[in-house]
Amino acid sequence: MLKTRIIPCLDVADGRVVKGVNFVGLRDAGDPVDAAIAYDAAGADELCFLDIHATHENRGTMFDLVRRTAEHCYIPLTVGGGVRTAADVRALLLAGADKVSFNSAAVANPDVVAHAADQFGSQCIVAAIDAKTVAPGRWEIFTHGGRKSTGIDAVGFARTMVEKGAGEILLTSMDRDGTKSGFNLPLTRAISDAVSVPVIASGGVGTLDHLVEGVTEGGASAVLAASIFHFGEFTIQQAKQHMAAAGIPMRLAS
């Protein structure tokens, strides 16, 4: 049976790790490479770097960050933010990323995911979906760091992404992001049920029980969190032990 993964997320802005609430009100959470090294040592299964203010001006910084992180860390690294083309994917993979995440560019042109998956394989292409509740049982895609509504149904879009070749869905509930009130479980379950690839649940973790619920109720294959780990509320091992005690198969330190 596949083990459930715990993935700390490092939101990066101007070369620093930051964390906000509902995508705003950012707090500094340290140096990204130092944080990545610490999470690797702590037993995280993977890491996720998201360049949340991605523009051409700071793109070089991100490549350097990925390169420096890959030199020191041995767990899989997913990188996203400002990824627009298959050439961007190539550059990030060469810098040391294991997987690359498309967000706004995939909404604008879903075929970019197909091009990248054709060139590099579905296993390293992630579709990141930022979704907001717009009605009971209905979620809409937002882009540009959550600032731009699209009118696109999140569940239907997740299916499209998998049809185009995405090997994984990184699903963030914008309503829950940074609130510590738990994952949006109906959204997570709807997406998990709609697609055949792993779904990473993101947005809202405040307790270790929330991590359990993301898997047992949301159907996620992996759980992503930031605040509870960045600010020292829980360790990776505490999270893994708690999830294992709830009957979830985890990769535990020997």
Side-chain angles (χ1 to χ4, degrees):
M1 188 170 197
L2 287 176
K3 302 284 198 284
T4 298
R5 292 164 290 149
I6 290 183
I7 306 174
C9 182
L10 304 171
D11 288 343
V12 179
D14 303 319
R16 300 288 290 177
V17 179
V18 295
K19 187 61 202 144
V21 177
N22 302 127
F23 286 40
V24 295
L26 302 177
R27 291 168 66 189
D28 185 275
D31 176 77
V33 179
D34 289 347
I37 292 167
Y39 280 129
D40 189 5
D45 296 298
E46 295 185 13
L47 274 178
C48 186
F49 266 160
L50 295 178
D51 184 345
I52 61 170
H53 290 166
T55 63
H56 284 298
E57 292 89 76
N58 65 7
R59 187 116 305 282
T61 307
M62 202 61 180
F63 287 128
D64 178 57
L65 256 185
V66 172
R67 201 171 288 111
R68 287 189 292 129
T69 302
E71 285 171 2
H72 294 97
C73 293
Y74 302 98
I75 53 177
L77 175 63
T78 298
V79 181
V83 179
R84 298 175 181 86
T85 65
D88 291 338
V89 175
R90 175 181 170 78
L92 285 165
L93 292 175
L94 287 172
D98 297 278
K99 296 186 249 185
V100 178
S101 168
F102 282 98
N103 189 324
S104 299
V107 176
N109 175 20
D111 284 333
V112 72
V113 170
H115 297 322
D118 284 346
Q119 286 189 46
F120 307 107
S122 292
Q123 79 284 348
C124 64
I125 303 301
V126 179
I129 294 177
D130 296 334
K132 201 180 274 189
T133 306
V134 291
R138 184 162 179 275
W139 304 276
E140 186 179 312
I141 300 275
F142 281 67
T143 61
H144 297 80
R147 290 183 286 275
K148 189 174 176 184
S149 69
T150 65
I152 298 170
D153 175 69
V155 178
F157 185 71
R159 287 196 189 98
T160 299
M161 288 293 93
V162 175
E163 287 165 8
K164 295 292 183 184
E168 195 163 53
I169 301 289
L170 169 52
L171 174 67
T172 300
S173 164
M174 295 180 58
D175 307 291
R176 300 300 184 94
D177 176 70
T179 64
K180 299 192 175 184
S181 56
F183 293 121
N184 185 325
L185 295 173
L187 166 64
T188 308
R189 173 54 73 179
I191 300 282
S192 296
D193 286 348
V195 299
S196 57
V197 303
V199 173
I200 304 168
S202 166
V205 174
T207 70
L208 298 182
D209 284 336
H210 291 157
L211 298 172
V212 172
E213 291 163 3
V215 179
T216 59
E217 297 180 42
S221 302
V223 284
L224 181 147
S227 304
I228 64 166
F229 297 137
H230 293 349
F231 301 115
E233 293 165 53
F234 299 103
T235 66
I236 298 290
Q237 290 306 318
Q238 285 173 327
K240 288 191 168 192
Q241 295 288 354
H242 189 81
M243 293 175 75
I248 297 169
M250 304 298 296
R251 191 179 291 107
L252 299 170
S254 54

